[in-house]
Amino acid sequence: MRTEKPQLAIVIPCFNEELCVKSTIERLVEVINDLVLKNKITNNSYIYLVDDGSKDNTWNIIEELHSKNNHVKGVKFIKNFGNQKALMAGLEGVRALGCDCVVTIDADLQQDENAIENFVDAYMEGNEIVLGIRNDRKTDSIFKKMTALMFYRTMNLLGASLPVNHSDYRLVSKKALEIMEMFPEKGFFLRGFFNELGLKTAKVNFNVKPRMAGESKFNFASLMGLALNGITSYSMVPLRVVTVIGLFMALFAFLMGIEIVFEKIFLHNSPAGWATEVILLCAFGGIQLFCLGIIGEYVGQLYREVKNRPRYIKDIELK
Ligand code: UDP
Ligand code: MG
């Protein structure tokens, strides 16, 4: 149990969100004021926006609202680094500015902002991490539903279990932020990371709303990228599968070889076998390429970590 009311920060990643960002900020300022009135958070709680290299008016709107309201702070990237990097910058930004706990939420307010109160309650009960779990996927397209299900199934199968139906709507405490600082890796997959820490965690259910305005900023390629990064940063199983497949293939080829020699020497009936040969060739070729691809993904992870480039580059920060 905690007794002292926390300073809350709310982090919002924004990429071309000029249609949403103003009303989202206004709504979240209301949420903060409401929680301050209820004596659940301190008066110096604030919103921290991360403009992930938007090409539209998003940053101008943020600057304007910052000049009117001190509860609105933010940072602008020099270019688009992607949603995970924006979230990370948000967490690191509020850690530097100071806060006791931080909630991350999407700029389109698809996640029910009223759940933030429940997050804070769960934090007061002594939890270090509070995960928002969506009640259903009604607002998602069939394609997104299917790919999400496949992703969670694959992750579980590979031994990197993730909380199902949790995206990046969560509260984390200052303690969790401090631990995050000790991890130098660049390719963070936040869902996996906070799940693996083993800190005291609670779950809060919330309803998903349709996107307020504008379009989803994720496409097939970026979702695929997120999934592959999630898998390769949290599971070594695919590499092992490759080894096992290779082993079985080698065994199979060895037995085939014996059989062929046997037919040739004792039965004298080596068949033309062209079709079989082509089929086997394609099958083996395909499997080999697939396995090489998996290894390539891990080599890519290594490559990125070894280069040790900054995770993101800030342009302007409003404190
Ligand atoms: N986002 C971002 N950088 C990107 C893509 C998305 O910061 O490159 C932000 C976006 O502005 C939003 C959040 O990530 O606040 C979630 O994106 P979106 O709502 O488009 O995803 P969906 O809800 O469709 O999965
Ligand atoms: Mg959304």
Side-chain angles (χ1 to χ4, degrees):
M1 284 297 271
R2 293 184 160 96
T3 46
E4 217 160 292
K5 60 182 176 182
Q7 178 186 17
L8 173 72
I10 302 181
V11 163
I12 316 174
C14 310
F15 179 50
N16 294 339
E17 299 284 7
E18 63 180 2
L19 297 174
C20 302
V21 74
K22 186 159 191 267
S23 56
T24 296
I25 294 175
E26 284 166 355
R27 176 67 197 116
L28 289 173
V29 167
E30 268 174 37
V31 170
I32 286 187
N33 287 338
D34 184 45
L35 289 176
V36 170
L37 275 179
K38 286 183 178 162
N39 210 16
K40 290 197 171 185
I41 58 174
T42 61
N43 192 24
N44 57 357
S45 299
Y46 58 93
I47 297 173
Y48 190 81
L49 297 118
V50 184
D51 181 347
D52 186 9
S54 299
K55 292 268 183 287
D56 64 1
N57 243 331
T58 305
W59 183 247
N60 295 337
I61 300 172
I62 294 172
E63 272 184 330
E64 190 200 320
L65 289 167
H66 167 75
S67 65
K68 288 184 195 154
N69 186 340
N70 202 14
H71 289 291
V72 181
K73 304 170 197 287
V75 65
K76 178 179 166 58
F77 282 176
I78 57 168
K79 69 170 184 87
N80 180 254
F81 284 93
N83 147 289
Q84 290 288 297
K85 299 283 156 61
L87 284 168
M88 233 177 288
L91 295 175
E92 288 174 340
V94 300
R95 162 96 180 98
L97 286 179
C99 68
D100 297 309
C101 55
V102 47
V103 170
T104 45
I105 189 167
D106 287 350
D108 54 7
L109 277 198
Q110 280 194 279
Q111 297 130 329
D112 184 9
E113 69 281 3
N114 296 310
I116 293 178
E117 181 168 354
N118 307 340
F119 284 17
V120 173
D121 290 343
Y123 168 81
M124 291 307 284
E125 281 161 19
N127 291 292
E128 302 293 340
I129 292 169
V130 187
L131 305 175
I133 307 289
R134 47 158 80 202
N135 284 327
D136 56 60
R137 286 188 170 268
K138 271 189 216 141
T139 56
D140 276 4
S141 63
I142 294 189
F143 172 72
K144 199 146 181 200
K145 267 181 214 156
M146 275 174 43
T147 44
L149 191 74
M150 258 164 58
F151 174 65
Y152 286 114
R153 285 266 163 84
T154 315
M155 284 300 273
N156 281 336
L157 210 70
L158 299 179
S161 71
L162 289 180
V164 177
N165 286 339
H166 164 67
S167 45
D168 284 306
Y169 186 30
R170 77 173 80 76
L171 175 146
V172 303
S173 68
K174 190 171 162 185
K175 182 169 172 188
L177 290 183
E178 280 165 5
I179 295 177
M180 187 177 154
E181 247 173 29
M182 305 190 306
F183 286 70
E185 62 201 75
K186 307 290 171 189
F188 254 103
F189 183 60
L190 291 166
R191 268 168 250 190
F193 176 73
F194 286 118
N195 195 46
E196 269 214 342
L197 281 184
L199 289 171
K200 193 168 178 222
T201 302
K203 290 180 180 170
V204 167
N205 284 68
F206 70 90
N207 287 322
V208 186
K209 297 176 272 185
R211 195 171 226 287
M212 185 193 292
E215 284 179 350
S216 173
K217 305 296 180 291
F218 279 98
N219 53 32
F220 178 69
S222 51
L223 281 173
M224 234 356 228
L226 187 66
L228 275 177
N229 182 29
I231 291 171
T232 49
S233 39
Y234 276 92
S235 175
M236 293 290 173
V237 176
L239 282 178
R240 207 155 296 150
V241 171
V242 168
T243 319
V244 173
I245 291 179
L247 212 67
F248 275 108
M249 285 294 171
L251 193 70
F252 179 68
F254 180 68
L255 294 178
M256 281 283 282
I258 294 183
E259 204 256 348
I260 287 166
V261 170
F262 179 81
E263 283 201 18
K264 179 109 186 151
I265 297 176
F266 297 103
L267 306 177
H268 305 289
N269 68 342
S270 293
W274 185 78
T276 328
E277 199 171 308
V278 170
I279 292 168
L280 281 179
L281 209 72
C282 291
F284 278 85
I287 292 169
Q288 276 172 358
L289 276 183
F290 175 70
C291 294
L292 270 181
I294 294 181
I295 295 170
E297 283 294 324
Y298 284 93
V299 174
Q301 287 270 4
L302 272 178
Y303 175 64
R304 200 177 52 206
E305 297 298 331
V306 164
K307 273 188 305 184
N308 206 19
R309 288 192 181 161
R311 288 177 182 146
Y312 49 81
I313 300 168
K314 294 177 186 177
D315 189 3
I316 314 168
E317 188 161 15
L318 303 172
K319 294 181 185 176

